[in-house]
Amino acid sequence: MTPGTEYQPQMSVEEFEDLERHAPETVRLEFINGRVQVKAVTDGNHDQIIAWLQRLCMQHRPELWLYGDRGMKVERYRKGRARPDGVLAPFGFPVGHGDWSEAAGVLMAVEVTSHDSDTHQRDRVEKPDGYAAAGIPVYLLIDRDDCSVVVFNQPEDGRYRHEEKLPFGAVVQLPEPVNIPLDTEPLKGFAD
């Protein structure tokens, strides 16, 4: 190997799942694009944003639940493993799934940006493609870095065909099959 070259050993999904099972409880691992990634621990504002969204989802769609940190099989051929900050699915969705769920039945994946160096690549580049390839109809990115909400939808051929970015404070209509209006004004208080 030549100096300056990055070495990334190949790891199978099975090897990753074994590694993740044995990781300390304080470490959250994901496997995206064949790379093991450590997901940042959340802060209080991050947790409050998820609680705010969970409350809105319950008010508008009581038959659904926003599951936090649910392990999901993503990417083409379900070769990736992600732990979205939230997964909107029918109540009871994960029963019998074990550590990692298939995307069938999931209406929306949610990520809230963390203040770490991998946020751009992970949440804005890799996750949209992984969730689209898994067939998740809507991906909601709550981006605290630039105070915006980005809604991705219409997955096709491993990419979302539609993307809409609005500033905190705007009213966002989450598209079908989610069909929930979000008044994002409260997010202004959680931007830092």
Side-chain angles (χ1 to χ4, degrees):
M1 188 161 87
T2 59
T5 347
E6 185 176 323
Y7 174 68
Q8 289 188 356
Q10 295 294 325
M11 179 181 278
S12 70
V13 171
E14 293 78 17
E15 290 169 324
F16 167 76
E17 287 181 354
D18 187 54
L19 174 68
E20 197 271 341
R21 259 191 305 278
H22 292 92
E25 288 182 24
T26 56
V27 176
R28 297 172 16 195
L29 299 176
E30 296 181 304
F31 190 59
I32 308 288
N33 287 335
R35 291 183 321 131
V36 175
Q37 300 179 17
V38 178
K39 190 168 180 179
V41 176
T42 62
D43 60 33
N45 285 357
H46 183 285
D47 294 345
Q48 189 60 36
I49 290 170
I50 292 298
W52 164 80
L53 185 59
Q54 189 173 52
R55 178 183 286 175
L56 286 174
C57 290
M58 285 176 46
Q59 289 172 347
H60 292 276
R61 301 287 306 271
E63 77 280 14
L64 303 176
W65 191 256
L66 187 68
Y67 293 94
D69 277 331
R70 176 77 220 140
M72 295 297 303
K73 296 177 182 179
V74 298
E75 298 181 330
R76 292 189 191 278
Y77 314 113
R78 310 305 184 251
K79 294 287 187 185
R81 298 293 182 266
R83 289 198 178 275
D85 292 323
V87 173
L88 187 66
F91 187 77
F93 162 76
V95 173
H97 287 196
D99 293 337
W100 305 97
S101 295
E102 296 285 342
V106 172
L107 282 67
M108 178 173 71
V110 178
E111 295 289 353
V112 177
T113 58
S114 298
H115 301 300
D116 65 28
S117 61
D118 292 336
T119 290
H120 174 73
Q121 186 65 25
R122 183 182 59 245
D123 294 339
R124 298 182 191 105
V125 178
E126 294 172 346
K127 294 271 181 101
D129 291 348
Y131 296 150
I136 296 174
V138 177
Y139 170 44
L140 174 64
L141 174 61
I142 299 174
D143 195 328
R144 296 189 295 167
D145 294 333
D146 71 355
C147 300
S148 69
V149 175
V150 187
V151 180
F152 299 83
N153 68 316
Q154 301 174 12
E156 185 177 295
D157 297 326
R159 295 256 195 267
Y160 285 108
R161 292 185 317 149
H162 185 259
E163 175 183 332
E164 182 177 20
K165 182 175 184 173
L166 296 165
F168 284 0
V171 175
V172 177
Q173 178 65 40
L174 296 175
E176 291 292 336
V178 178
N179 197 27
I180 294 174
L182 295 181
D183 178 357
T184 65
E185 185 69 28
L187 293 178
K188 289 180 176 181
F190 303 113
D192 51 320

